[in-house]
């Protein structure tokens, strides 16, 4: 039997201690779902262990295969540049596959709805509630377009309206989207942070939600997010399984 590749979850990192705490909670849920897979965590910045440090430790232990999974919701700069650069510097004895970023995915939409219902909405509120899909923001046009597409598709599931908003780098801001939904006549306005962990930009989203009726929590260790990490891991390791005839 071939040993499964190690799953290395790559998080951005933050000076805010809530960030690392939330990432570790998510990783614990993944481990509980897949006890047959070794799961490690590495950070690009601010927190330890670093991605490079984890890769070096794994190689020193004799690990040969790693699936590196970016804990990111869109394919922006970190997924396209930062993470590939770090992985290229991995010890040569390691075979490292970079998995796809988490979004877009129906599982993330399910997690967003879970958080809204946990914050007090019910499925019966959908038709009268406008939702602000509030993301961190990016200068990457592809990432911005993906957020707009998610908002459009989510609206088709029955919400009064869904508008994208961004905490940085793009417009509109959360507070402007909240006001737009009020002007549209939505009875309630809810803000759904499309972010994985607390930090500076999620706090900005929260401030922008001051005039909303409902503010959901970040996605964090939602069960749907943990399942999505496993899905991305399995997809990334399939080429290796095919090569082995598995």
């Amino acid at each position: 039997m071939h040993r499964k590749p190690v799953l290395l979850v790559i998080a951005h990192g933050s000076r805010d201690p809530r960030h690392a705490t939330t990432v570790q909670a998510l990783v614990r849920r993944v481990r509980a779902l897949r006890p047959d897979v070794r799961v490690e965590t590495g950070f690009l910045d601010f927190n330890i262990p670093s991605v490079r440090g984890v890769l070096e430790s794994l190689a020193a232990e004799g690990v040969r295969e790693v699936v590196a999974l970016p804990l990111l919701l869109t394919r922006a700069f970190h997924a396209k540049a930062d993470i590939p650069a770090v992985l290229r510097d991995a010890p040569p004895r390691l075979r490292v596959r970079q998995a796809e970023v988490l979004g877009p995915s129906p599982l993330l939409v399910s997690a967003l709805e879970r958080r809204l219902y946990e914050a007090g909405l019910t499925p019966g509120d959908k038709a009268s509630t406008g939702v602000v899909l509030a993301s961190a923001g990016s200068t990457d046009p592809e990432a911005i377009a993906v957020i707009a597409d998610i908002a459009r598709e989510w609206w088709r599931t029955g919400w009064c309206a869904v508008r994208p908003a961004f905490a940085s780098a793009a417009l509109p801001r959360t507070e402007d989207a909240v006001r737009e939904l009020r002007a549209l006549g939505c009875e309630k306005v809810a803000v759904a942070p499309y972010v994985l962990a607390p930090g500076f930009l999620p706090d900005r989203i929260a401030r922008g939600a001051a005039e909303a009726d409902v503010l959901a929590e970040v996605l964090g260790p939602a069960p749907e997010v943990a399942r999505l990490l496993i899905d991305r891991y399995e997809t990334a390791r399939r080429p290796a399984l095919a090569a082995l005839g598995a």
Side-chain angles (χ1 to χ4, degrees):
M1 181 179 294
H2 297 286
R3 185 174 298 175
K4 293 182 176 66
V6 171
L7 169 55
L8 172 57
V9 176
I10 300 179
H12 182 273
S14 171
R15 293 186 178 91
D16 189 322
R18 296 173 298 167
H19 176 90
T21 299
T22 302
V23 170
Q24 296 297 354
L26 174 59
V27 168
R28 284 195 299 272
R29 189 180 285 272
V30 173
R31 287 176 179 144
L33 288 173
R34 286 297 299 272
D36 58 317
V37 175
R38 179 176 174 181
V39 186
E40 299 291 343
T41 310
F43 295 90
L44 289 174
D45 207 351
F46 301 117
N47 302 102
I48 55 173
S50 68
V51 176
R52 182 171 286 105
V54 174
L55 291 171
E56 290 173 353
S57 294
L58 291 173
E61 289 179 31
V63 171
R64 290 294 176 264
E65 290 193 74
V66 174
V67 170
L69 198 162
L71 200 59
L72 300 169
L73 297 176
T74 58
R75 269 185 50 78
F77 179 79
H78 294 303
K80 294 177 179 179
D82 282 358
I83 292 175
V86 173
L87 298 181
R88 280 194 296 271
D89 289 337
R93 71 194 72 170
L94 279 180
R95 181 181 298 125
V96 182
R97 296 178 182 274
Q98 182 176 334
E100 289 297 321
V101 298
L102 299 180
S105 168
L107 284 170
L108 290 174
V109 175
S110 295
L112 287 165
E113 295 209 357
R114 170 189 291 276
R115 292 301 190 225
L116 286 171
Y117 297 148
E118 289 171 349
L121 292 179
T122 70
D125 292 322
K126 288 185 77 167
S128 60
T129 301
V131 178
V132 178
L133 179 66
S135 76
S138 174
T139 57
D140 189 308
E142 177 187 349
I144 297 300
V146 166
I147 301 300
D149 287 344
I150 294 169
R152 187 162 43 248
E153 292 300 315
W154 198 16
W155 165 68
R156 290 174 179 155
T157 67
W159 294 98
C160 174
V162 180
R163 293 290 186 271
F166 308 94
S168 67
L171 296 173
R173 294 286 184 259
T174 302
E175 54 269 33
D176 297 324
V178 169
R179 293 180 189 123
E180 180 186 353
L181 291 173
R182 291 275 187 225
L184 281 175
C186 298
E187 290 182 21
K188 292 182 180 179
V189 176
V191 174
Y194 190 61
V195 293
L196 287 164
F200 176 76
L201 293 178
D203 282 350
R204 182 180 288 177
I205 290 171
R207 290 193 298 272
E211 297 179 16
D213 300 293
V214 173
L215 170 62
E217 292 291 330
V218 299
L219 295 172
E224 296 85 357
V225 179
R227 285 169 48 204
L228 182 54
L229 264 68
I230 292 167
D231 287 351
R232 293 289 189 257
Y233 168 80
E234 292 294 347
T235 299
R237 65 185 285 258
R238 276 177 203 148
L241 291 175
L244 292 168

